[in-house]
């Protein structure tokens, strides 16, 4: 063995020992942080929030070691680590060392401020007519009420949380920006994208193209929808406002046409999802048994999936009701969950996670879309969907995706502006200008100095994340095309009852874990890098 080979072997051995030692310290702290965060979201109160905060601070503290950061970067740049899995683990560690190259007191401060925002959202219940109401109850009013004044009161109640969190959120953004600038980034937005392996300029070029390409189809669709909504509420189209939508942010399609998909899904969503995932060879019973599925006072009113330990303790939190919205949400969260549960145990701990945030979002969105697929409704929900109803449902599916995509663009463009200047006094104006331009939803009068923008929880609880939803939708369409191509499924067939579908996801999507970058992972799985073409063909040009 040459001297160079000996040096390479020595370097690789040292790097492997370092990764193993770091893993032994990361795993228990991550487990405690995830478990405490789960308890806090499930209604565990201040004690659980404090536990989660302590564990997160300790976990991030592992990456404040300057010598450890130097060694990791040295191994990466030396060219002496031949094992690709070891190189990838070093890369992921380097990202964490970069993010946490901060004084310990700065990390403590950032984590504590984030936890306080989470606590505010978890405990929030809007007040309407002197009573505390849940998000589901507000949506019930916006779904069934015909009186515009009553609808407006419910919609405005949903925005009350904004006044509580706006200033704490601004301050957190200021401090996140200061921390990012101290380690060489423009701001925290640029830092987070960089550490997510996403090129900011390329991403916004994709967003701009999607915005411009969907504009004419969206406007044409909205002309018909607005006429239908105006007739329903007895107002002119120009008088329509945000409270005439069923979703407080206008991010989901309202009831339209003659077909109400809820009529097909007024059964137990858990039973339906259990049967579906078992039928494609990705059983979810154990996940559901660990999960928290129904409404409760003090509990987070939204939905998420939590891989607690990367060793099989995967759970979801929901607030289920027997309707299309919550059935789709359950399928979405179980998409995340079956991905996490199927990650091969033989992968190193650091690689035992999805390839990327947008990779797991794409899987979740693939499954969440199924509730608006006529063949799936027939085969899984046992719905007697006629051909005419099927055509309308497909139209609703396209409409729902156009509405969702335009909403996601609002969040993506707004969050970039928030991080550019959190001190600007006209953030609510910026918010409503984007809503009007992209969603074509007219702003309510006399709210220019409000805090409507801050009522969207993701800005507080999942910073610099929302772009992954839209990129995930693009990827979901690409994966969907690959699934049908690889399995040979007929166009009029659902994926239900097809174990080949589960095999595709398990072998092509889940098995690599985080062993390769997300774009390489997608290329291997589908045969091409991320290509918006599939989404455009499926939803924009359909």
């Amino acid at each position: 063995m040459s001297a160079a080979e000996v040096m390479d072997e020595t370097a690789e051995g040292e790097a492997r020992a370092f990764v193993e030692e770091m893993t032994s310290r990361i795993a228990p702290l991550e487990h405690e942080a995830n478990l405490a965060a789960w308890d806090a979201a499930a209604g565990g109160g201040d004690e659980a929030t404090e536990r989660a905060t302590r564990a997160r601070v300790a976990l991030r503290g592992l990456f404040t070691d300057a010598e450890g950061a130097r060694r990791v970067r040295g191994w990466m740049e030396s060219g002496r680590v031949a094992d690709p899995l070891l190189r990838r683990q070093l890369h992921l560690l380097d990202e964490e060392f970069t993010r946490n190259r901060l004084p310990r007191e700065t990390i403590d401060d950032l984590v504590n401020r984030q936890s306080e925002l989470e606590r505010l959202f978890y405990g929030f219940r809007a007040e309407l007519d002197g009573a505390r109401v849940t998000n589901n109850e507000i949506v019930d009013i916006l779904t069934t009420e015909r009186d515009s004044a009553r609808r407006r009161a419910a919609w405005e109640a949903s925005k009350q949380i904004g006044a509580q969190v706006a200033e704490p959120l601004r301050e957190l953004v200021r401090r996140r920006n200061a921390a990012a600038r101290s380690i060489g980034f423009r701001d925290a937005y640029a830092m987070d994208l960089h550490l997510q392996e996403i090129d900011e300029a390329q991403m916004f070029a994709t967003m701009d193209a999607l915005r411009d390409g969907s504009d004419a189809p969206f406007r044409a669709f909205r002309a018909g929808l607005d006429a239908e909504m105006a007739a329903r509420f007895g107002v002119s189209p120009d008088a329509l406002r945000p409270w005439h939508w069923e979703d407080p942010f206008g991010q989901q399609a309202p009831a339209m046409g003659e077909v109400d998909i809820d009529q097909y899904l007024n059964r137990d969503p858990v039973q339906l999802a259990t049967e579906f995932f078992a039928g494609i060879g990705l059983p979810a019973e154990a996940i559901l048994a660990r999960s928290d599925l129904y409404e409760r006072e003090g509990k987070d009113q939204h939905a998420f999936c939590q891989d607690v330990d990367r060793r099989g303790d995967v759970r979801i939190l929901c607030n289920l009701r027997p309707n299309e919205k919550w059935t789709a949400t359950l399928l979405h969260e179980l998409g995340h969950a079956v991905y996490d549960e199927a990650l091969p145990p033989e992968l190193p701990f650091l690689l035992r996670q999805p390839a990327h945030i947008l990779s797991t979002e794409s899987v979740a969105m693939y499954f969440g879309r199924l509730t608006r697929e006529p063949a799936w409704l027939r085969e899984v929900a046992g719905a007697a969907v006629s051909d005419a109803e099927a055509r309308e449902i497909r139209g609703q599916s396209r409409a729902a995706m156009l509405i969702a995509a335009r909403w996601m663009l609002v969040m993506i463009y707004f969050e970039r502006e928030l991080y550019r200047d959190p001190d600007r006094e006209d953030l609510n104006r910026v918010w409503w200008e984007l809503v009007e331009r992209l969603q074509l939803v007219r702003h309510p009068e006399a709210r220019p100095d409000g805090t409507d923008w801050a009522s969207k929880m993701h800005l507080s609880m999942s910073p610099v994340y929302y772009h992954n939803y839209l990129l995930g939708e693009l990827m979901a369409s690409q994966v969907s095309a690959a699934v049908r191509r690889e399995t040979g499924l007929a166009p009029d067939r659902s994926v239900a009852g097809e174990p080949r579908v589960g095999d595709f996801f398990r072998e092509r999507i889940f098995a690599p874990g985080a062993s390769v970058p997300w774009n390489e992972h997608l290329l291997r799985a589908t045969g091409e890098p991320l290509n918006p073409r599939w989404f455009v063909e499926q939803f924009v040009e359909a």
Side-chain angles (χ1 to χ4, degrees):
M1 184 180 291
S2 68
E5 289 172 327
V6 170
M7 291 177 66
D8 290 349
E9 188 173 287
T10 300
E12 187 159 306
E14 291 174 348
R16 191 178 307 281
F18 180 86
V19 168
E20 290 173 354
E21 193 270 336
M22 282 295 294
T23 297
S24 72
R25 299 169 67 193
I26 291 168
L29 287 175
E30 182 179 276
H31 177 260
E32 172 58 19
N34 289 340
L35 192 59
W38 172 270
D39 290 343
D46 292 346
E47 185 275 333
T49 300
E50 290 167 5
R51 279 174 45 221
T53 300
R54 288 194 300 271
R56 288 168 178 166
V57 167
L59 182 58
R60 291 190 63 171
L62 294 179
F63 298 99
T64 59
D65 174 21
E67 175 60 18
R70 185 195 65 78
R71 295 180 73 193
V72 167
R73 185 65 61 86
W75 287 315
M76 290 175 60
E77 294 176 349
S78 70
R80 288 178 171 161
V81 177
D83 180 354
L85 294 183
L86 181 57
R87 286 202 309 271
R88 186 63 180 163
Q89 291 174 86
L90 290 171
H91 176 84
L92 296 178
L93 288 174
D94 183 66
E95 288 181 345
E96 292 303 319
F97 276 115
T98 299
R99 187 190 312 277
N100 293 289
R101 203 165 67 232
L102 301 166
R104 185 61 178 262
E105 58 269 21
T106 299
I107 291 175
D108 290 357
D109 179 66
L110 293 175
V111 173
N112 276 284
R113 289 175 183 277
Q114 178 94 36
S115 296
E116 175 60 16
L117 285 166
E118 291 175 0
R119 186 188 67 79
L120 290 171
F121 271 99
Y122 290 157
F124 172 73
R125 296 296 183 272
E127 186 170 310
L128 181 63
D129 298 333
R132 283 165 59 87
V133 293
T134 67
N135 285 352
N136 275 341
E137 288 169 328
I138 287 175
V139 171
D140 285 345
I141 294 170
L142 295 177
T143 301
T144 61
E145 180 62 59
R146 290 294 179 263
D147 179 73
S148 290
R150 176 68 175 158
R151 296 180 67 87
R152 179 170 188 166
W155 179 83
E156 289 181 340
S158 75
K159 304 302 174 188
Q160 291 165 0
I161 184 65
Q164 296 183 37
V165 303
E167 186 49 41
L169 173 54
R170 283 181 188 265
E171 185 60 23
L172 177 59
V173 172
R174 293 182 192 110
R175 291 172 184 247
R176 292 190 78 232
N177 277 348
R181 288 168 185 145
S182 75
I183 53 179
F185 291 94
R186 183 195 71 219
D187 54 30
Y189 192 87
M191 179 187 74
D192 284 353
L193 286 182
H194 173 78
L195 296 178
Q196 291 175 32
E197 301 178 299
I198 292 177
D199 181 274
E200 183 175 356
Q202 185 176 358
M203 183 185 86
F204 275 97
T206 299
M207 299 304 166
D208 291 348
L210 187 59
R211 176 198 63 201
D212 296 342
S214 65
D215 195 62
F218 185 65
R219 287 179 182 276
F221 156 71
R222 280 297 306 277
L225 176 62
D226 285 6
E228 186 176 335
M229 291 173 65
R232 183 182 308 149
F233 298 114
V235 299
S236 69
D238 288 343
L240 291 171
R241 291 296 183 270
W243 47 85
H244 290 111
W245 288 70
E246 294 171 15
D247 180 90
F249 293 97
Q251 69 185 74
Q252 294 176 331
M256 62 185 86
E258 300 298 323
V259 178
D260 180 4
I261 299 178
D262 279 352
Q263 68 181 306
Y264 305 129
L265 295 169
N266 59 352
R267 55 175 286 194
D268 178 12
V270 175
Q271 180 185 355
L272 185 149
T274 300
E275 294 170 356
F276 167 69
F277 278 100
I280 61 171
L282 297 173
E285 292 95 334
I287 296 166
L288 289 164
R290 290 186 291 268
S291 297
D292 189 333
L293 300 174
Y294 301 101
E295 292 177 275
R296 190 173 59 256
E297 179 64 29
K299 174 184 169 182
D300 183 3
Q301 299 185 81
H302 302 87
F304 64 86
C305 172
Q306 181 74 69
D307 184 350
V308 174
D309 59 2
R310 305 200 205 189
R311 292 184 173 89
D313 185 355
V314 181
R315 318 169 180 190
I316 65 170
L317 181 143
C318 289
N319 290 272
L320 295 179
R321 290 192 173 187
N323 56 29
E324 189 275 331
K325 172 190 172 181
W326 276 109
T327 302
T329 300
L330 178 59
L331 295 175
H332 177 106
E333 298 305 337
L334 285 174
H336 287 302
V338 295
Y339 193 159
D340 290 339
E341 191 175 62
L343 291 164
E346 61 270 19
L347 278 174
F349 178 86
L350 296 178
L351 305 183
R352 209 178 305 143
Q353 59 179 311
H356 193 275
I357 302 167
L358 68 90
S359 304
T360 185
E361 288 299 345
S362 74
V363 174
M365 287 160 172
Y366 173 91
F367 290 113
R369 291 176 180 179
L370 294 175
T371 57
R372 291 181 180 269
E373 183 182 292
W376 190 88
L377 290 169
R378 288 172 177 147
E379 296 171 25
V380 177
V385 180
S386 70
D387 290 344
E389 289 170 332
R391 285 192 293 273
E392 182 170 329
I393 291 169
R394 282 190 285 270
Q396 290 182 14
S397 176
R398 174 176 180 262
M401 188 54 66
L402 282 173
I403 288 168
R406 300 290 287 197
W407 153 253
M408 291 177 207
L409 289 170
V410 169
M411 281 290 288
I412 293 164
Y413 287 118
F414 178 80
E415 191 165 31
R416 180 173 62 172
E417 292 305 310
L418 173 63
Y419 278 86
R420 278 178 172 171
D421 185 6
D423 292 312
R424 61 186 301 170
E425 297 179 356
D426 62 345
L427 279 174
N428 220 46
R429 180 187 61 78
V430 173
W431 173 265
W432 283 110
E433 285 180 353
L434 286 167
V435 168
E436 288 200 336
R437 178 159 57 91
L438 296 172
Q439 291 182 275
L440 306 182
V441 174
R442 295 173 182 83
H443 76 278
E445 292 77 8
R447 296 177 74 86
D449 301 320
T451 54
D452 301 324
W453 59 275
S455 63
K456 189 58 181 174
M457 63 174 289
H458 294 76
L459 295 171
S460 291
M461 297 174 66
S462 301
V464 196
Y465 187 104
Y466 223 83
H467 54 276
N468 289 297
Y469 290 130
L470 190 45
L471 292 173
E473 292 286 12
L474 303 185
M475 187 183 288
S477 291
Q478 186 167 326
V479 168
S480 179
V483 166
R484 291 199 169 270
R485 183 172 62 248
E486 294 296 322
T487 60
L489 279 175
D492 61 344
R493 278 290 316 280
S494 162
V495 298
E498 284 288 349
R500 290 175 296 171
V501 174
D503 291 342
F504 177 92
F505 278 100
R506 188 179 294 103
E507 296 165 10
R508 299 285 193 91
I509 306 294
F510 304 161
S515 61
V516 295
W518 69 268
N519 42 6
E520 182 180 342
H521 170 258
L522 182 63
L523 175 63
R524 294 182 184 182
T526 69
E528 60 181 327
L530 185 63
N531 187 348
R533 161 200 165 194
W534 301 104
F535 179 88
V536 171
E537 287 182 359
Q538 188 173 5
F539 295 110
V540 179
E541 296 177 348

